[in-house]
Amino acid sequence: MKHWKILKKTGEFMTRFSWADAHPLLTEYYDTEWGRPVFADRLLFELLILEGFQAGLSWLTVLKKRKTMQIAFSGFEVAEIVKYDDNTLNTILDIPDMIKHRAKVESVVTNARAFQKVQQEFGSFSDYIWAFVDEPVVRYYEREADVPVKDELSEAVSRDLKKRGFKFIGPVVSYSYLSAIGMIQDRL
């Protein structure tokens, strides 16, 4: 149903955001992943990295390169990524179809180490990130233009993640991340 999405959990219909209709890959992502609550640490890490790579790029670009990134970054397995050295990073940067931004590639290792520390402190990254809310924050907007790019929650999460050593996670990236993992659920 073009322009509509059924929310599996509630059976509720909602208008699809226009960005999701711009390309079939975006539509598929929107209809099957975006905004669904995520609790698995591996997927939480993957989406954190993908959102960071989006900074300065389009989400479509990142989605087109997602499979390459999954292979390059060991399926986003944190325990593997923390072992990466400069040679590994150089090899990744040489992969065809990889986003060739050295600081972003290096941030994957930095973020994996910070992610692992959070897991050790809280038992899981999921327990840590979901502790910022009691339940998903659901807000309705009349117009897509009214949806914010950041809010108090994304600013607080960004501040805390940066304090813990994470990179490429400003308030706007944080808002996108929290939306992707279903913690913030903006609807039209």
Side-chain angles (χ1 to χ4, degrees):
M1 294 171 24
K2 189 169 170 78
H3 303 296
W4 291 91
K5 165 179 161 175
I6 239 180
L7 299 177
K8 290 181 182 178
K9 187 174 179 183
T10 63
E12 170 186 355
F13 284 95
M14 70 181 236
T15 304
R16 183 185 289 141
F17 286 104
S18 63
W19 63 261
D21 286 327
H23 188 278
L25 197 55
L26 292 169
T27 304
E28 179 185 349
Y29 170 74
Y30 185 91
D31 287 349
T32 61
E33 287 188 69
W34 185 79
R36 302 245 186 326
V38 175
F39 300 99
D41 273 9
R42 198 216 51 81
L43 185 55
L44 287 167
F45 182 70
E46 178 177 351
L47 291 170
L48 182 76
I49 296 307
L50 295 176
E51 291 292 348
F53 266 78
Q54 181 191 359
L57 300 172
S58 72
W59 187 240
L60 179 58
T61 298
V62 173
L63 285 179
K64 284 180 177 179
K65 297 179 183 293
R66 187 178 190 179
K67 292 212 182 303
T68 298
M69 293 173 69
Q70 287 170 333
I71 294 165
F73 295 117
S74 304
F76 292 102
E77 291 295 337
V78 171
E80 292 301 315
I81 295 168
V82 296
K83 300 175 198 172
Y84 286 7
D85 58 16
D86 283 340
N87 289 333
T88 307
L89 297 179
N90 289 333
T91 301
I92 289 169
L93 285 164
D94 287 339
I95 294 172
D97 207 35
M98 174 54 77
I99 295 171
K100 312 258 187 225
H101 191 291
R102 183 159 196 92
K104 288 180 181 181
V105 171
E106 289 173 349
S107 77
V108 176
V109 178
T110 301
N111 288 347
R113 291 178 180 146
F115 195 91
Q116 211 170 43
K117 287 179 185 172
V118 168
Q119 287 176 314
Q120 291 165 358
E121 182 178 345
F122 291 88
S124 71
F125 188 83
S126 180
D127 287 345
Y128 159 77
I129 199 71
W130 281 95
F132 281 93
V133 296
D134 293 327
E135 59 186 29
V137 177
V138 180
R139 293 180 286 223
Y140 291 88
Y141 297 92
E142 289 292 320
R143 299 174 314 132
E144 198 167 327
D146 296 334
V147 177
V149 296
K150 65 181 180 175
D151 66 0
E152 289 179 21
L153 175 59
S154 73
E155 289 173 351
V157 169
S158 171
R159 244 186 335 271
D160 198 68
L161 287 170
K162 285 179 181 180
K163 182 181 77 175
R164 294 174 183 282
F166 287 84
K167 305 288 183 200
F168 285 95
I169 190 70
V172 174
V173 170
S174 178
Y175 194 91
S176 292
Y177 176 65
L178 299 177
S179 297
I181 67 169
M183 189 180 294
I184 293 175
Q185 297 180 14
D186 293 328
R187 301 179 183 168
L188 300 175

